[in-house]
Amino acid sequence: MYKKFLDLGLQPLANSYLNKKNLYKKEQSFKLEVGIDIKNFLVSIINTVPKTKMFNQRYPYKSSTSKTMMLSFYEISKKIKKRFNPNLVLEIGSNDGAFIKNFERNKVIGVEPCKNLANITKKNNYKTFSEFWNCKLAKKITMYKKADVIYSANTLSHIKDLNEIFKAINIALNKDGVLIIEDPSLLECLKSVAYDQFYCEHIYVFSSLALQNVLKKFNLKIFRIENTSTHGGSNRYYIKKVFSIKNKIDQSVKKEINKEINFGLKKFSTYKKFKKKVATSKSKLVTIMKKLKNKNFTIIGYGATAKSCTVLNYCKIGTQFIDYFYDTTSNKINKYLPGSKIKVKKYKTLSKKNIDYVYLGAWNFKKEIFKKEKKFISMGGKFITHVPYPKVI
Ligand code: JHZ
Ligand code: SAH
């Protein structure tokens, strides 16, 4: 049973971009509420949307649109090769191939339910199964050869049925194999009041505590945790079948869990405090927008993210404040953000001539974006962010 601690209102599906034709049609929506399973400390959205409504041939997100992610996938694949020398790597949620393209074609298999994306890697001759991850698929893929490494970034937190995921992983993973999961960290999310980590696709925001509890049932164990800076602060969990852990568990596991306990992830009061901070964040962001608009400044958005969908709809920010969003993703251009109906335009280098303020939808790529927009910044162009608290930078 989930104990509710946050209500982010009625929300559309975060990646269901609108086009001119359906702009004024009633959008599908759901109540975005967040709760915690007190037994496992697992934080989850309470009402979920059927997976096929979110992940289908129209899915627009492409991992390879940011240099930061490309580099991160290159580096982890180098590490995997060096540390584990795998004969077969399996990726769950391979998207457009940003990770698998770092491996030899005969040593890697992708699983990606969105056909438009799976077709990209298939065309590049990477073996890809365009299906949802489950036991049946695990048996089919690894009938003759099991995986030495299963890697899954920003995907397992999107799958409701954790029983099915981990049962299937147990089927597909070699007895000495390593499962590597990478997902946004609940600790970082709460610390930086990044409430936009909650939307339809993010069914769970994992903590080490919760994951450790969930894994017990499947005889899987975390033996190492690395903190990574991607997506606003994530954790990379290294996991093995319990009986195959010969060496000691790395100290990083205890360290991370203690960090989480000390922050208060086991106490419901921590989540109630977060709820208050979220409400403050909303009113501050709206105040900033109102002040700037009253002075007739032009505000645009940068990075039409799934996260933005939560912020814009929760704060009721629409075209009264933001003229349009810039984004580099081909599938989002000339479409409209769900709910707020703000238009997404093809990215152009920012110019002070027609833009004063830029709301950072992709705040998780602040470093990469600020580097790209050096000129705009040097000319006095300003950004607005809500993480870790609403401010102009
Ligand atoms: P980004 C999606 O979330 C959905 P989103 C999903 N649920 C998830 O977990 C993460 O991805 C992994 C654009 N951009 O990665 C590209 C620029 O325009 O924060 C993207 O549309 N210029 C699967 O959508 C968006 O911003 C740039 O210079 O919250 C970034 O989306 C850069 C760097 C990005 O994920
Ligand atoms: N791993 C990439 C992609 C993350 S986006 C990255 O880190 O950038 C999440 C991906 O998971 C999407 O491409 C989506 O289609 C896929 N996905 C969602 N549900 C899934 C499921 N049940 N099984 C396998 N993949 C799934």
Side-chain angles (χ1 to χ4, degrees):
M1 262 308 282
Y2 283 97
K3 208 167 157 185
K4 180 176 137 182
F5 64 86
L6 183 65
D7 185 345
L8 293 165
L10 212 58
Q11 291 274 352
L13 309 198
N15 267 308
S16 289
Y17 283 79
L18 306 164
N19 51 37
K20 261 200 174 137
K21 266 194 210 153
N22 63 12
L23 192 56
Y24 294 104
K25 278 202 183 139
K26 194 172 182 305
E27 287 173 76
Q28 198 182 342
S29 60
F30 77 110
K31 266 176 98 172
L32 181 53
E33 297 172 324
V34 189
I36 178 164
D37 159 11
I38 296 293
K39 194 169 140 244
N40 288 319
F41 307 111
L42 180 62
V43 165
S44 159
I45 59 170
I46 293 170
N47 311 298
T48 53
V49 171
K51 56 181 185 283
T52 46
K53 294 240 185 247
M54 300 187 282
F55 306 112
N56 50 48
Q57 69 283 5
R58 292 181 301 279
Y59 192 65
Y61 180 75
K62 281 187 179 171
S63 310
S64 58
T65 45
S66 95
K67 280 190 190 153
T68 312
M69 289 316 291
M70 293 303 274
L71 184 66
S72 168
F73 290 132
Y74 167 73
E75 279 175 349
I76 179 62
S77 49
K78 218 166 66 177
K79 222 178 202 178
I80 288 173
K81 284 180 214 168
K82 195 167 161 206
R83 240 192 239 166
F84 308 115
N85 190 23
N87 269 317
L88 181 63
V89 177
L90 175 70
E91 188 189 12
I92 308 171
S94 51
N95 199 273
D96 64 352
F99 169 79
I100 58 175
K101 68 173 238 187
N102 294 296
F103 292 88
E104 288 169 57
R105 286 178 172 77
N106 60 349
K107 288 192 169 181
V108 71
I109 295 175
V111 172
E112 174 47 60
C114 300
K115 290 208 165 51
N116 55 329
L117 299 167
N119 283 344
I120 299 174
T121 47
K122 279 183 190 171
K123 263 192 199 145
N124 277 319
N125 293 322
Y126 281 95
K127 192 157 192 160
T128 313
F129 288 82
S130 189
E131 290 174 52
F132 288 99
W133 177 246
N134 60 30
C135 292
K136 200 171 153 210
L137 181 65
K139 278 181 201 152
K140 183 165 91 182
I141 296 180
T142 56
M143 199 181 321
Y144 302 110
K145 191 173 171 186
K146 298 209 183 237
D148 303 308
V149 169
I150 297 183
Y151 178 76
S152 192
N154 305 300
T155 298
L156 298 194
S157 54
H158 296 54
I159 310 178
K160 187 173 180 181
D161 190 350
L162 294 177
N163 272 322
E164 185 73 16
I165 299 179
F166 291 114
K167 269 195 213 158
I169 283 173
N170 262 331
I171 293 171
L173 191 64
N174 225 335
K175 62 180 190 333
D176 296 320
V178 180
L179 163 67
I180 305 172
I181 304 176
E182 209 171 311
D183 275 293
S185 136
L186 178 68
L187 178 65
E188 294 306 319
C189 164
L190 298 193
K191 265 193 194 166
S192 54
V193 200
Y195 62 90
D196 50 347
Q197 289 290 8
F198 298 107
Y199 52 89
C200 54
E201 293 173 20
H202 279 183
I203 295 176
Y204 305 101
V205 175
F206 292 133
S207 61
S208 314
L209 267 169
L211 204 58
Q212 198 184 39
N213 287 333
V214 169
L215 290 171
K216 263 185 209 150
K217 207 171 133 190
F218 305 95
N219 289 321
L220 292 166
K221 203 172 171 78
I222 306 172
F223 67 91
R224 179 185 174 82
I225 299 175
E226 287 168 3
N227 302 133
T228 69
S229 60
T230 53
H231 295 301
S234 298
N235 280 338
R236 184 179 287 148
Y237 306 95
Y238 291 79
I239 297 156
K240 274 189 151 208
K241 298 190 178 183
V242 171
F243 60 79
S244 84
I245 296 187
K246 294 178 193 94
N247 301 325
K248 270 199 202 150
I249 303 291
D250 191 79
Q251 282 192 342
S252 54
V253 179
K254 205 170 172 194
K255 203 172 145 202
E256 187 63 23
I257 285 181
N258 283 341
K259 224 162 67 181
E260 292 179 350
I261 294 173
N262 291 338
F263 183 81
L265 290 198
K266 281 188 165 182
K267 291 190 228 144
F268 194 66
S269 57
T270 304
Y271 301 92
K272 285 206 291 201
K273 262 189 230 156
F274 176 68
K275 172 197 168 149
K276 280 195 183 144
K277 287 185 190 165
V278 172
T280 309
S281 176
K282 171 182 179 171
S283 68
K284 284 197 172 150
L285 182 64
V286 174
T287 305
I288 291 176
M289 295 269 180
K290 274 188 184 157
K291 270 192 187 157
L292 296 176
K293 218 58 212 170
N294 282 341
K295 290 183 184 160
N296 273 328
F297 285 121
T298 304
I299 310 174
I300 71 149
Y302 197 117
T305 58
K307 296 182 289 294
S308 313
C309 180
T310 295
V311 176
L312 300 173
N313 290 296
Y314 171 62
C315 300
K316 302 202 168 26
I317 293 172
T319 47
Q320 82 276 34
F321 295 124
I322 297 181
D323 292 359
Y324 56 89
F325 264 75
Y326 269 153
D327 200 285
T328 50
T329 314
S330 53
N331 298 337
K332 296 182 184 175
I333 293 166
N334 288 330
K335 299 219 171 110
Y336 299 81
L337 275 145
S340 66
K341 299 186 181 3
I342 304 173
K343 190 169 183 178
V344 184
K345 288 192 182 177
K346 189 175 175 177
Y347 164 75
K348 275 195 217 142
T349 309
L350 296 180
S351 161
K352 202 45 193 103
K353 274 189 201 143
N354 53 351
I355 301 160
D356 301 305
Y357 288 83
V358 180
Y359 169 67
L360 209 45
W363 54 267
N364 43 317
F365 295 122
K366 187 171 129 193
K367 243 189 179 168
E368 181 177 337
I369 293 170
F370 278 22
K371 203 169 154 198
K372 221 165 34 176
E373 308 303 340
K374 260 200 300 229
K375 198 162 165 214
F376 175 71
I377 295 169
S378 72
M379 303 288 281
K382 299 275 185 215
F383 285 86
I384 306 165
T385 187
H386 67 281
V387 176
Y389 56 87
K391 60 180 169 184
V392 170
I393 27 177

